[in-house]
Amino acid sequence: MSKRCSSWLALLGALWLWSGAAVANEAVFADGGFVPYVELGPTRVPAARGLESRVLLFVNFTCPYCRGIHRTIGEWSKGLPAGIRYEVVPAVGLPAHAPMAVAYYAVLAAAPGKLEPYSERLYSMLQDEHRPAGSVETYVAAATAVGISRDAFLKASQTEEVRRFVTRAQALTAAYGLTEVPSVVVGNRYLTSPRRVQNQPEAFMTIASTLPFCVNPSTSGHQASMLRRMSARPPAMSFRCVRIAPQQPASSATRVWMPAALYWPNTSRSPL
């Protein structure tokens, strides 16, 4: 990262945090300075190829803080400069995370226009109604609630396309060493999360608005525009990280764990 860009990011984050108590020994401080992001090293994981112009939001649908920021970042992403795409990735770091990723990508395959209402419904069912995250019926119910038939959802969940997406989500979670959600990766180079900005939503959105510029300096005009949009502060929301278990090394992330609850009925082995 250029010295100019890193200085700009540190200044922006510090301005947002000046009124809060800073803890000097936290990981967000390095060599006495504030560092609101992690600069990722090169990765040879095939799943990470071609993501130099992408913003990835990693979530878990049982995480209330992911729920709080999901829509805000979705709206923010509409102002990304041309050539930079936004994508939500369900973090897959444990066997228990796999059903959420399968369900998300099944809806993407079966009815992509219903992905956002499905996500909102799934957050509600898992967090408000306390439906079991390991039961296929939870995900089927969320699908039928937004107009996707049970058969269409289950059929999509068992396709090769969904298997590839879930495998990719697991590989990316491991490759970036994610241990908490929500986390944002920009341009396959920078990682930030609420913890890195002392759980301040305004600081988080400001840093997220600046990182695409660091990836592609030619987008400086868009950077100024996005920062102006974020000057109207995002809605008040609970904002912290939820820890997820440390990941396996990327080299070992070659298969996806699939619980029996998501197998096809009357099928002894899942194609995933």
Side-chain angles (χ1 to χ4, degrees):
M1 177 182 289
S2 70
K3 183 176 180 181
R4 176 187 175 189
C5 193
S6 59
S7 299
W8 175 240
L9 279 165
L11 175 61
L12 284 172
L15 286 173
W16 279 114
L17 301 178
W18 71 272
S19 61
V23 182
N25 62 355
E26 289 231 1
V28 296
F29 290 87
D31 299 324
F34 174 69
V35 184
Y37 60 88
V38 174
E39 190 159 2
L40 299 168
T43 174
R44 293 186 175 87
V45 176
R49 294 173 185 163
L51 298 180
E52 291 75 16
S53 297
R54 193 155 315 183
V55 174
L56 305 177
L57 169 64
F58 287 85
V59 301
N60 181 294
F61 289 97
T62 64
C63 164
Y65 312 113
C66 297
R67 183 183 186 182
I69 201 173
H70 195 134
R71 180 179 291 184
T72 299
I73 290 193
E75 289 298 314
W76 164 85
S77 71
K78 295 176 182 178
L80 285 169
I84 296 183
R85 295 174 57 192
Y86 167 73
E87 178 184 346
V88 175
V89 180
V92 180
L94 291 172
H97 302 158
M100 287 175 271
V102 172
Y104 183 85
Y105 289 120
V107 173
L108 178 64
K114 296 182 177 180
L115 195 57
E116 285 309 306
Y118 179 82
S119 296
E120 292 181 9
R121 186 71 186 109
L122 188 56
Y123 277 123
S124 177
M125 293 183 76
L126 291 173
Q127 298 183 29
D128 302 333
E129 301 174 24
H130 306 291
R131 300 283 189 98
S135 171
V136 67
E137 294 305 322
T138 298
Y139 304 99
V140 169
T144 57
V146 298
I148 304 171
S149 72
R150 179 188 184 90
D151 287 347
F153 174 80
L154 288 175
K155 184 176 181 180
S157 75
Q158 300 300 303
T159 61
E160 176 64 19
E161 177 186 14
V162 167
R163 185 199 69 80
R164 287 196 302 268
F165 269 120
V166 177
T167 301
R168 172 179 175 268
Q170 179 196 347
L172 290 175
T173 303
Y176 296 137
L178 298 183
T179 59
E180 58 194 20
V181 288
S183 289
V184 171
V185 173
V186 178
N188 213 18
R189 289 176 59 188
Y190 307 112
L191 165 68
T192 191
S193 66
R195 180 180 62 83
R196 300 203 68 83
V197 291
Q198 302 285 296
N199 301 316
Q200 298 294 319
E202 297 91 346
F204 182 78
M205 296 307 298
T206 300
I207 298 305
S209 295
T210 304
L211 284 172
F213 164 72
C214 297
V215 172
N216 183 1
S218 66
T219 61
S220 57
H222 293 280
Q223 175 205 25
S225 174
M226 293 180 76
L227 288 172
R228 283 195 297 270
R229 289 181 60 185
M230 291 313 302
S231 64
R233 296 187 177 187
M237 53 188 172
S238 298
F239 200 70
R240 290 183 180 274
C241 290
V242 169
R243 301 288 295 182
I244 57 177
Q247 310 305 313
Q248 296 184 34
S251 60
S252 66
T254 56
R255 66 180 295 273
V256 173
W257 308 282
M258 289 305 304
L262 277 176
Y263 290 3
W264 267 102
N266 302 318
T267 301
S268 61
R269 184 177 64 86
S270 167
L272 304 184

